[in-house]
Amino acid sequence: MKSGQSIETLKVSRRSLLFAGAAAGVAATLASVAAAADPVAAEAPAGEIRAFRANIPEAALADLRRRLAATRWPDGETVRDRSQGVQPERLKALVDEWQSSYDWRKAEQRLNAFPQFVTGIDGVDIHFIHVRSRHENALPLIMTHGWPGSVFELIDVIGPLTDPTAHGGTAGDAFHLVIPSIPGFGFSGKPMEKGWNPQRIAAAWDTLMKRLGYTSYVSQGGDWSAIISDALGRQAPEGLLGIHVNRVERATTFPPDAAQALMSGAPVPDSLSPDEKVIFAEARDFLANGFGYAAIMGTRPETIGYGLADSPVGLAAWLYDKIADWVFTRGDPEQALGRQAILDNITLYWLTNTGPSSGRIYWENVAGGAKLEPVKVPVAVTVFPGEVYRPPRHWLARAYPQLIYYNAAEKGGHFAAWEEPQLFAGEVRAAFRTLRS
């Protein structure tokens, strides 16, 4: 690159290049690229919205392939099922494709097909996709990913939501769509101070929507983005019309006697119906056998972070394990999502070195304490059959006193937008229909 080449030519800011960098093995490459960028453009004024394009240095991709080739694999498991974690044959097949034939540039092209931006909010650069609908009176919607996902979870619903007439809907279903990367995830900045819990992220999202000129809007989320949407709903900033979630918090919705039994280890209460006892049993199984990842990141995110930053296979196993656990096709995420999509998501974590930083949201949430007060705005809920927790409608009254929509979908899991984009888009349209002016 010529020394006089500007940041506009690079299509990416100095900070964005740093976000896109690989680990220490390619630090020199990133430093040389960043040094050639315009230092004035790199220090953008507070509140400015800058155009962004993903453009990972080739050296970072070569470093990834080198690390994959040098993997030291663990000994085989002592069971023939998934009870000890990710099975070697599945992970080795994934890594073999990652090393030999996977093409990150195609993933970049998918991202760069949409308008992307970065803006500083509360001291952290926020990366986001922003697609305005061509339809008049479209409803502004901020929609967020979760962990172990990214903006790749939501790409396939952009078309159906912003241009519904091309995807089986009507012009009256259209949305202006904003899809941010959570701080510490993807191309967003990594907070350098504690306190970036869901409440603070929710406040940042309100700032973002108003900075984009939206005086009224709705919010949607599953996983962490459901928790962020709940936090927005409790804050109820002026202009927030309502929220839609496809993941519900147990702490705010479990019946008190069942919650006490769940935490104490007591038998399931007789007050629960047969269907509710199934939900109770699933919750107990999850806490006993599927919650270890959250306990680690909620207490020691830095400790697990060393391995996630240094080993791409370690990172892949950590993320793949929960993707496999939570898709509708339990244990078979390739069937639900396809290997290419799984690798796009994992590679984004690797190239931005956000395996460690993304885990801190668990620690921040624990440190911030439980927020159990009801949501103050209208709420819509879709329960997908492959979700980890599937509460019945009447369990939601305490958390969501203004429940305007509830539906149990026929298929789809925890990653509903990723697994079933058309079905998911239909749910979002239905959820907010009564809130349109």
Side-chain angles (χ1 to χ4, degrees):
M1 185 180 68
K2 296 179 181 178
S3 59
Q5 194 170 8
S6 71
I7 197 69
E8 189 63 28
T9 304
L10 283 171
K11 302 293 187 183
V12 63
S13 72
R14 179 177 181 177
R15 285 185 180 179
S16 300
L17 281 169
L18 292 176
F19 299 159
V26 293
T29 299
L30 294 180
S32 66
V33 175
D38 182 350
V40 175
E43 297 298 328
E48 183 181 65
I49 297 174
R50 294 116 59 193
F52 175 88
R53 283 178 64 84
N55 186 17
I56 299 296
E58 187 61 34
L61 302 177
D63 177 71
L64 170 58
R65 290 189 290 269
R66 177 188 64 78
R67 289 171 181 263
L68 291 172
T71 299
R72 183 174 71 168
W73 292 93
D75 295 333
E77 59 206 337
T78 58
V79 296
R80 299 302 301 168
D81 55 27
R82 299 177 57 246
S83 60
Q84 292 183 352
V86 181
Q87 294 171 297
E89 62 271 21
R90 282 193 171 271
L91 192 62
K92 287 181 178 180
L94 184 78
V95 170
D96 179 67
E97 181 168 328
W98 202 7
Q99 182 186 353
S100 63
S101 60
Y102 172 74
D103 187 356
W104 164 256
R105 297 303 180 195
K106 292 181 179 179
E108 277 189 341
Q109 290 171 7
R110 291 191 73 207
L111 282 175
N112 292 336
F114 301 103
Q116 297 174 84
F117 304 90
V118 172
T119 190
I121 300 176
D122 198 7
V124 174
D125 272 357
I126 303 298
H127 162 262
F128 61 98
I129 297 169
H130 182 200
V131 181
R132 289 187 58 85
S133 175
R134 65 186 176 89
H135 295 292
E136 190 177 356
N137 299 322
L139 179 63
L141 165 63
I142 185 165
M143 185 165 62
T144 319
H145 62 87
W147 185 97
S150 66
V151 293
F152 278 119
E153 285 183 64
L154 306 174
I155 282 181
D156 287 340
V157 302
I158 293 176
L161 292 177
T162 60
D163 191 10
T165 57
H167 296 85
T170 67
D173 290 324
F175 295 90
H176 299 310
L177 193 56
V178 179
I179 303 177
S181 296
I182 296 171
F185 289 71
F187 292 113
S188 278
K190 300 168 185 174
M192 294 292 104
E193 62 179 8
K194 65 181 182 180
W196 275 93
N197 54 39
Q199 289 69 241
R200 188 168 177 179
I201 296 169
W205 279 192
D206 181 62
T207 297
L208 174 60
M209 293 301 280
K210 287 169 180 171
R211 185 171 295 175
L212 292 172
Y214 297 127
T215 56
S216 61
Y217 65 95
V218 292
S219 177
Q220 196 286 325
D223 195 79
W224 279 109
S225 53
I227 298 174
I228 293 166
S229 291
D230 278 0
L232 256 176
R234 288 192 298 269
Q235 294 169 13
E238 184 177 359
L240 178 66
L241 302 178
I243 67 172
H244 171 258
V245 295
N246 55 283
R247 183 263 189 194
V248 177
E249 276 284 271
R250 286 186 193 84
T252 57
T253 58
F254 233 63
D257 59 339
Q260 184 176 4
L262 188 66
M263 300 310 296
S264 68
V268 56
D270 291 334
S271 59
L272 300 186
S273 71
D275 287 344
E276 291 169 344
K277 288 179 180 179
V278 171
I279 298 171
F280 180 94
E282 291 172 344
R284 175 158 283 173
D285 179 71
F286 175 76
L287 293 176
N289 300 305
F291 194 66
Y293 77 100
I296 291 171
M297 293 192 291
T299 57
R300 292 293 188 270
E302 191 71 7
T303 300
I304 187 65
Y306 294 108
L308 302 182
D310 187 61
S311 169
V313 172
L315 174 69
W318 188 245
L319 302 182
Y320 181 93
D321 185 51
K322 304 324 295 179
I323 296 172
D325 271 357
W326 298 340
V327 290
F328 183 54
T329 55
R330 289 286 195 264
D332 191 358
E334 289 86 355
Q335 181 182 345
L337 304 170
R339 191 172 287 159
Q340 177 79 28
I342 296 169
L343 286 173
D344 287 347
N345 185 67
I346 293 172
T347 307
L348 178 61
Y349 274 84
W350 173 258
L351 294 173
T352 55
N353 195 20
T354 49
S357 56
S358 63
R360 293 190 194 115
I361 194 171
Y362 288 83
W363 187 92
E364 292 287 1
N365 195 50
V366 172
K371 302 294 185 292
L372 303 180
E373 62 268 25
V375 171
K376 302 172 186 175
V377 299
V379 177
V381 174
T382 302
V383 175
F384 286 86
E387 185 54 88
V388 177
Y389 172 51
R390 298 170 292 114
R393 181 174 190 139
H394 63 275
W395 282 16
L396 305 182
R398 286 187 302 125
Y400 303 138
Q402 298 184 61
L403 187 64
I404 59 170
Y405 179 87
Y406 176 95
N407 187 46
E410 294 181 356
K411 55 183 178 178
H414 182 75
F415 307 98
W418 208 6
E419 298 175 58
E420 300 290 343
Q422 291 292 337
L423 175 60
F424 177 86
E427 283 298 306
V428 174
R429 294 172 192 161
F432 290 125
R433 201 160 279 148
T434 62
L435 297 182
R436 293 178 183 269
S437 56

